[in-house]
Amino acid sequence: MVDRPFWQGRVLEAWREAPVAWLAGVRRAGKTTLARSISGPDALYLNCDLPAVVERSRDPELLFRDARGRVVVFDEVHQLEDPARVLKVGADVFPGTRILATGSSTLAASQKFRDTLAGRKRMVHLVPVLWDELGAFGASLEDRLLRGGLPPALMASPPPPSFYREWMDSFFARDVQRLFGFRDFARFNDCLEYLLRQSGGPWELSRAAATLGVARATVENHVRAMEVTHAVTLVRPFHGGGQAEIVKQPKAYGFDTGFVCFAKGWDTLRAEDKGLLWEHCVLETLLARFPQAHIRYWRDKAGREVDFVIPAGRDRVDVVECKWNAARFDPEAVRVFRGHYPQGRNYLVTPSADPAHARRWGDVEMEVCNPSALGAVNRAGKD
């Protein structure tokens, strides 16, 4: 079992604030293994895929009474008939009980969750294997870019050719269909693969609908399901009212570089491919470290673009630029951005920057670092 101290710490922090820690993330990201490593051998572990567990959960008061004093783990909790009710009984009726619930979705995923457990839970979003974890998994960065960060694919040598397709089939059958009631497997998967092929670029709903030959509303519903099950992240534009700024069009990022490579048909990586995939890895680090931050990007109508922008307080905005090769960094977009928003720190995140150091490009100063140093970025809000 690979030790994952960052994520273990995040769950323990969640328990210090609320009785329910909700460990969300896509299928095969390692939620079950992480849950077992945190809860310990004395925990009551419940696999909610099993009919016997579903039946037992119909009387949550009896279940929690029998488990008094133990951590209770509900793995794949969204498979229960009324998961929110079960968790609410544990949190309200049995104070002091620590509950860990895992699932691919958020509590707002569907009508199945009739109570969002406000004040009773803290969310921990488990993303694919982070930069800091590569050594523990015995993987190189190039392996991580090409294979992705789901442990079964990253640790296999080589990964099974069928892994990515089987994952997509399972994702639809076990998560999307059960939570949202979608019936057309082919149409949903066409949308997901289209998004993965476009990953890292602008998301245009009308163009996607026209390309896929389906209604805008259908594509919109599919993408919403992908968002709440963490299969896609929409990064929306940052703007302060300037007429030259892009204000509406989001950028779409697939959840994992391995699936981006799979959808694009890449079995090897060229130098120009690595920059796009590196941007995905940096975004995943930001999502992991700053879950409550409103991560944005910035672009003006002249085409100048800043990869990620993080509001960090009143009148302060931090900038994160991603470069596989720092020598190819062009400071012009940051210079223009800082002309509008002068307060905040500038980070250039590159795999070769160790230790972190400051560097100037004319009047633009950047903190050049690898993802490990991004803990210094000021977060906008509390976990």
Side-chain angles (χ1 to χ4, degrees):
M1 182 183 295
V2 176
D3 192 34
R4 308 187 73 177
F6 173 80
W7 295 108
Q8 291 163 347
R10 285 292 311 281
V11 173
L12 294 175
E13 180 183 351
W15 272 334
R16 285 192 289 269
E17 298 182 358
V20 179
W22 181 280
L23 181 61
V26 298
R27 186 163 300 281
R28 308 301 298 276
K31 299 187 299 295
T32 298
T33 302
L34 181 61
R36 288 187 179 277
S37 74
I38 296 166
S39 57
D42 295 331
L44 175 60
Y45 175 84
L46 300 167
N47 180 353
C48 300
D49 280 324
L50 301 177
V53 171
V54 174
E55 180 63 32
R56 186 177 181 183
S57 299
R58 291 196 175 102
D59 190 342
E61 186 175 359
L62 184 59
L63 185 156
F64 283 107
R65 191 185 70 192
D66 289 346
R68 193 183 299 273
R70 301 162 67 190
V71 173
V72 182
V73 179
F74 293 94
D75 200 6
E76 301 289 327
V77 69
H78 57 283
Q79 307 294 4
L80 298 181
E81 295 173 356
D82 191 352
R85 172 177 170 268
V86 173
L87 299 179
K88 186 175 180 181
V89 168
D92 291 354
V93 181
F94 296 88
T97 298
R98 291 190 299 176
I99 303 167
L100 179 58
T102 82
S104 62
S105 62
T106 67
L107 278 171
S110 74
Q111 293 181 351
K112 191 172 190 178
F113 298 94
R114 293 183 283 272
D115 191 317
T116 60
L117 301 179
R120 303 175 180 91
K121 63 95 174 56
R122 294 292 182 271
M123 172 75 75
V124 178
H125 173 198
L126 179 64
V127 304
V129 171
L130 296 168
W131 160 276
D132 293 338
E133 299 181 300
L134 289 176
F137 280 87
S140 70
L141 178 55
E142 295 214 10
D143 285 340
R144 171 63 177 82
L145 297 181
L146 181 60
R147 299 181 185 182
L150 300 192
L154 184 61
M155 298 178 75
S157 183
S162 61
F163 174 83
Y164 302 99
R165 177 60 62 194
E166 289 176 353
W167 184 96
M168 294 176 75
D169 293 348
S170 178
F171 173 60
F172 180 83
R174 292 175 52 80
D175 295 329
V176 172
Q177 189 174 42
R178 292 189 185 185
L179 285 169
F180 299 94
F182 298 157
R183 299 300 178 192
D184 195 327
F185 165 81
R187 183 170 290 180
F188 180 86
N189 264 16
D190 284 348
C191 185
L192 177 57
E193 290 195 44
Y194 174 86
L195 188 146
L196 290 169
R197 289 193 297 272
Q198 305 297 319
S199 189
W203 174 248
E204 300 182 19
L205 179 60
S206 296
R207 177 178 295 181
T211 301
L212 294 168
V214 298
R216 277 174 52 100
T218 299
V219 176
E220 193 168 23
N221 287 337
H222 287 171
V223 173
R224 177 182 174 274
M226 294 175 202
E227 274 199 281
V228 298
T229 53
H230 305 290
V232 63
T233 298
L234 294 185
V235 178
R236 293 169 172 81
F238 176 89
H239 57 90
Q243 293 185 355
E245 296 175 311
I246 301 297
V247 300
K248 291 184 178 179
Q249 188 176 58
K251 294 175 70 175
Y253 289 84
F255 72 97
D256 180 67
T257 58
F259 284 82
V260 172
C261 292
F262 168 75
K264 289 177 175 288
W266 295 349
D267 55 8
T268 59
L269 296 180
R270 301 168 298 179
E272 56 266 34
D273 303 329
K274 295 174 184 177
L276 171 68
L277 301 174
W278 176 246
E279 189 175 317
H280 284 67
C281 287
V282 174
L283 174 60
E284 289 159 13
T285 297
L286 294 173
L287 292 172
R289 291 187 178 274
F290 318 112
Q292 300 303 319
H294 298 289
I295 300 169
R296 300 287 187 257
Y297 80 98
W298 179 84
R299 186 177 183 182
D300 66 11
K301 293 180 180 178
R304 290 172 292 233
E305 185 171 310
V306 173
D307 291 330
F308 302 115
V309 171
I310 306 177
R314 184 173 182 177
D315 300 325
R316 176 175 174 146
V317 189
D318 289 339
V319 159
V320 178
E321 283 278 81
C322 314
K323 281 295 178 186
W324 180 257
N325 182 353
R328 302 185 66 180
F329 173 64
D330 182 347
E332 182 59 20
V334 177
R335 181 179 292 112
V336 173
F337 180 85
R338 285 305 182 198
H340 297 293
Y341 311 100
Q343 301 299 317
R345 301 179 69 175
N346 302 326
Y347 295 87
L348 176 59
V349 186
T350 178
S352 59
D354 188 17
H357 58 278
R359 181 178 169 185
R360 288 187 182 276
W361 282 262
D363 58 346
V364 175
E365 181 175 325
M366 307 289 293
E367 179 77 9
V368 184
C369 63
N370 62 38
S372 298
L374 284 175
V377 178
N378 288 321
R379 70 178 72 180
K382 190 173 181 291
D383 286 0

